[in-house]
Every structure is written in structure tokens, then in C-alpha cells.
Amino acid sequence: MPLKVIILAAGKGTRMRSSLPKVLQPLALKPLIRHVVDTASALACDEMITVVGHGADQVMSALSDVSVSFVEQHQQLGTGHAVQQALPHIADEDRVLILYGDVPLTRAETLQDLLSLVDERHPLALLTIDLEDATGYGRILRDVHHSVQAIVEEKDATASQKTIQEANTGILAASGRHLRDWLSRLSNTNAQGEYYLTDIIAMCVADGFNVHTTQPMSALEVLGVNDKAQLQGLERQYQRALADALMAQGVTLLDASRVDIRGNLQVGQDVQIDANVVLEGDVRLGNRVVIESNCVIKDAVIADNTVIHAFSHLEAVTIGQACQIGPYARLRPGTELANRVKIGNFVETKKARIGEDSKVNHLSYVGDTLMGQKVNIGAGTITCNYDGVNKHQTVIGNEVFVGSDTQLIAPVTVHDGATIGAGSTITKDAPAQTLTLSRAKQHSFQDWQRPVKK
């Protein structure tokens, strides 16, 4: 049976107090609805239909790079009405999965289990959850044989029904033929005056079918978001789940409550991560990598035995084996370090390729640079790569020594084995195996008087 996925994403999210639609609020830097779309994509569905409403243009723009069909719910008349907008995309032979753009963490495996319950004899299956306090949720009504009979919404429930702990998550799977029929029979005669999608459960039972149910591994999979406090709470639960998964892979987290993963992370063996580390985008850590506290690492490949010292920022970089980075280093996009490179405190690099065993230890800027092996860059050295309009490259050969407080004015080449005297401004190529320096003549003034405080 072809699989169609309907994602409901038309709500305004007034309690978010934001110009950004609720489904675009970020969880681990990714919009809530993008989590849902990524999960649905993992199910190999034949079509994904997103029902938009408030902020429709923003939502469609945010999903412009994925294959999604959009339908608009111009009036917010309930979940049943929202699903009705997608009916032109649904055929009788389809299986239909209904998800929510503000419920981001449902596992694909859970949804596969749910879909497996739907066939010709069982046209409807629900994802439910047992909660100690189900306040706010619709309740699952069962008969004495434990068969599902209906769902009653919180505002329509009796006092007795409100004591039921089995709650409706809203996520369901159904056959296209029966879903089309049930949606055509919906009524809005209820406390909210809305067309409840949950009313199709009683219709299914009245038509002589049993409703099957399954449950997720944890409540985290079905938690929705209505305000910023809930969003932050979900973020912390999600991050803790990611941290637990890392530790299960053998990663040592010195404080599992203070590590944020905002993307895709791959790790080798015996990795150690300290507190307040943020890992964004695609990050790959080799064996025995150590990341000290308060580092931000984005889109980076870091090879075995490298140490990233505290307060360092790395973005779009490739780091070789046994490198030492920081503390307080900033490696910007295009930085590529070979093995055993040392980048020290308060050093910034950008679009720099640095060869094996080279060192940039202190207070330096190296940009648009091709650097060889066993180079030593003295403190306060900068490559002056920008003339105000264009960028130019600095080329530094192997075994070069650059003295402190040197400016290399690109385009310029320092050949193998050259030594640059401290305090030099180099505007011409420096020959190999030669000392090159440029300094003004030094003067001393014996009659000079030091200023005194007035």
C-alpha cells in the first residue's frame, strides 16, 4: 500500500509570543517541523503533505529544499478539518499517517510499528501513551474487553473519564478509503465547536472494526510544544537523551547535563568531552579526542589524539592527528591542519592549510595561507591578506622561522628554511635559508623626559 504522510502545521502558536510560527521554533537549532519531516522521510513515504495556515509562506520557505506538498487551512476549525484539506492527495488504496509539526521527536521505528497494525481488517491504529497526569490530553475509552471504543477530549470529558491515564497522542495511521469516509461524516457538535479528528475512532468501532494501539518507548517521543518554557524543557530532555546515547557508545562526558548536540555527531573510541561544549552541524571526532570546557565546534572533522583546549571555537575545519588547539583559539572556515600542528592561545586562522609539526603558538592571525612543515610562527605575527578589495595568499615553505611581531604582506612567499627577524614587515619574497628582516634604525634620546601625571 502506498504511504502518504500528513503533517499538521497550521497552528499560530500564540503562547510562543513570537513572529516565528510555532512549528519553526528551534529544537537543537533545527525547526520543530524539520525534525518531523526528517523522520517521515526515513519512512520512505510516497508523498508528504503539510497542512499550513499561520505563517504559511515562512513554513513553505523553511521546507523548500525537501519534497513536500502543501495545502492551506484558511480557517482553524479543528484537527479533523485540517486533515480534510489534504484529502485531494489521498487515494483509497493509500495508508495514511498523521503527524504534527510541533511533536518533533517521534522515532521512525515507533511509526513503523504503528503502520504495521493497519490492514484491510484493521483500518485504524492509534499511538497512545500512559501518563500519571494526563491533564490536557484526550482520553482513550475502552470497554470491559479492553477494546478501544472512542476518544474523549479533555473539555468534553466527565470527571470519571478524566481519571483515565491512557492518553491520545494524536498520531494515527489509517487506510485511505476508510479515512476519506470518516472525515466526510465529522460533526462540530462539541464544546469547542470544532471538527475533531478523534471522532473517527468511534466511527471505526461503529463500522465493526477493532482499533489497534501501540505505544512509544518513552513519553519524549510524543511531547508537543506550546510555549517557550515547554520548548526549553523539551530541549533539555532531548539533549540528555543524546548525551545518554553518547555515553552508551563509550564517550566520557564530564557533565552530561551540560553538553549540547545540535546536528550530527560521529565519535570514535575513548572520546572525552567536558562541560559547556556545543557541537553543531556535522562533527566527526576520531579516537581519543579530548574537548575541554566551553568549546564551540561546528562542521568539523577532528582526527585521533587531538586535544581542543578550553574556550576554543572551530568552524568548517579539518584537523589532523595529535594536534593541540587553544585555549582561546578560533579556527574559521577553510582551516586545514596536518598532523601534530599546534595552534596556541588567542590565535585565529581562516582558509589556512598548515603542514605537519608546525606551530602558531600565540596571539597571531593566519589567513589565506599555505604553510609547510615544521614552521614556527612567533607571537603577534599576522598575514596581511586583504588589501581592502581583494584577498591574497601568503605561502610559507618548510622549516621557516618567523620572529615575533611580524607582518607578512600578501601576496608574498617565504621560501624553505628562511628566517624572518622579529618586528619585520615583509613585502617581498624572502629567499630560502636566509635571514630577512626590515626594521627602522633604532634611536635613543638621553634628554627625553617621561611624562608625569598632572
Side-chain angles (χ1 to χ4, degrees):
M1 299 170 67
L3 173 61
K4 304 289 179 66
V5 176
I6 300 173
I7 301 174
L8 304 187
K12 184 175 182 179
T14 304
R15 282 182 281 171
M16 283 291 178
R17 306 288 185 185
S18 173
S19 60
L20 199 65
K22 179 169 69 169
V23 297
L24 296 185
Q25 298 293 325
L27 179 71
L29 288 188
K30 185 163 73 172
L32 294 171
I33 194 171
R34 194 58 183 254
H35 288 269
V36 181
V37 167
D38 289 349
T39 300
S41 298
L43 301 174
C45 59
D46 295 276
E47 186 179 9
M48 202 181 312
I49 307 104
T50 299
V51 182
V52 295
H54 176 75
D57 290 343
Q58 291 172 279
V59 176
M60 289 188 286
S61 177
L63 299 178
S64 60
D65 61 328
V66 292
S67 180
V68 178
S69 302
F70 295 97
V71 295
E72 191 161 358
Q73 185 186 19
H74 296 284
Q75 289 181 285
Q76 312 297 300
L77 300 178
T79 51
H81 178 259
V83 176
Q84 286 174 345
Q85 311 312 302
L87 281 181
H89 294 262
I90 304 303
D92 286 351
E93 64 270 17
D94 292 335
R95 276 186 308 169
V96 182
L97 176 65
I98 298 176
L99 303 175
Y100 297 81
D102 61 350
V103 181
L105 298 181
T106 314
R107 296 164 56 249
E109 295 83 355
T110 298
L111 298 176
Q112 290 283 20
D113 288 343
L114 180 67
L115 289 166
S116 70
L117 301 177
V118 176
D119 56 34
E120 286 300 321
R121 294 180 302 143
H122 304 96
L124 181 62
L126 303 177
L127 188 66
T128 70
I129 185 76
D130 291 330
L131 300 171
E132 288 187 15
D133 180 6
T135 301
Y137 287 83
R139 307 308 204 280
I140 305 297
L141 304 183
R142 296 180 181 267
D143 63 15
V144 293
H145 304 292
H146 205 60
S147 296
V148 173
Q149 298 298 296
I151 295 175
V152 61
E153 297 296 335
E154 170 89 11
K155 293 183 179 180
D156 298 306
T158 65
S160 175
Q161 289 169 339
K162 289 179 180 179
T163 65
I164 296 171
Q165 293 181 310
E166 187 181 13
N168 173 42
T169 69
I171 296 172
L172 61 83
S175 79
R177 179 167 63 88
H178 291 92
L179 181 64
R180 293 174 62 85
D181 173 47
W182 296 328
L183 289 172
S184 70
R185 292 153 52 187
L186 285 179
S187 166
N188 65 344
T189 55
N190 51 61
Q192 291 291 95
E194 294 183 350
Y195 295 90
Y196 290 155
L197 179 63
T198 49
D199 287 349
I200 70 173
I201 284 77
M203 295 180 189
C204 178
V205 173
D207 287 348
F209 298 107
N210 289 325
V211 177
H212 284 184
T213 63
T214 186
Q215 296 205 346
M217 289 183 63
S218 74
L220 182 64
E221 291 191 52
V222 294
L223 290 179
V225 175
N226 292 304
D227 56 35
K228 290 295 178 67
Q230 289 181 350
L231 180 62
Q232 201 281 327
L234 187 61
E235 178 80 48
R236 298 290 15 113
Q237 291 188 62
Y238 180 48
Q239 291 298 338
R240 183 57 202 233
L242 294 175
D244 289 343
L246 277 183
M247 291 186 288
Q249 295 177 62
V251 176
T252 298
L253 300 179
L254 299 189
D255 188 341
S257 65
R258 291 192 290 161
V259 172
D260 277 39
I261 302 164
R262 302 170 182 172
N264 302 309
L265 175 62
Q266 299 178 48
V267 295
Q269 287 188 322
D270 298 312
V271 170
Q272 178 176 299
I273 301 174
D274 206 337
N276 299 323
V277 169
V278 177
L279 301 160
E280 298 182 11
D282 293 312
V283 176
R284 190 162 76 239
L285 306 179
N287 300 322
R288 298 171 297 281
V289 168
V290 174
I291 302 175
E292 294 183 354
S293 61
N294 300 291
C295 291
V296 179
I297 299 175
K298 179 179 181 180
D299 296 325
V301 177
I302 301 174
D304 300 350
N305 300 307
T306 286
V307 177
I308 312 298
H309 293 290
F311 293 95
S312 294
H313 286 214
L314 286 67
E315 179 181 358
V317 300
T318 301
I319 309 299
Q321 296 184 22
C323 292
Q324 297 281 327
I325 312 297
Y328 295 97
R330 185 183 182 198
L331 276 57
R332 295 168 60 194
T335 296
E336 298 179 20
L337 306 185
N339 297 336
R340 300 178 301 281
V341 169
K342 183 173 182 181
I343 303 293
N345 50 287
F346 302 104
V347 170
E348 180 179 349
T349 66
K350 182 180 186 293
K351 201 175 179 182
R353 293 172 57 191
I354 299 178
E356 291 186 347
D357 299 300
S358 291
K359 299 178 181 180
V360 188
N361 277 321
H362 318 286
L363 303 159
S364 296
Y365 171 73
V366 178
D368 289 278
T369 297
L370 180 60
M371 185 185 300
Q373 301 177 7
K374 297 182 179 179
V375 173
N376 187 90
I377 301 294
T381 295
I382 61 172
T383 57
C384 303
N385 58 318
Y386 183 50
D387 63 10
V389 179
N390 300 303
K391 297 288 184 71
H392 302 279
Q393 188 176 58
T394 298
V395 178
I396 300 173
N398 298 321
E399 300 183 6
V400 167
F401 181 94
V402 178
S404 298
D405 195 27
T406 293
Q407 300 86 48
L408 302 173
I409 313 298
V412 69
T413 297
V414 181
H415 291 279
D416 292 353
T419 297
I420 306 298
S424 295
T425 299
I426 303 300
T427 60
K428 300 177 182 178
D429 291 358
Q433 308 300 328
T434 300
L435 171 63
T436 299
L437 55 84
S438 64
R439 299 174 183 157
K441 184 177 180 180
Q442 181 171 319
H443 296 277
S444 297
F445 300 92
Q446 293 183 347
D447 58 351
W448 176 79
Q449 296 293 320
R450 179 178 294 179
V452 295
K453 187 174 182 179
K454 296 180 180 180

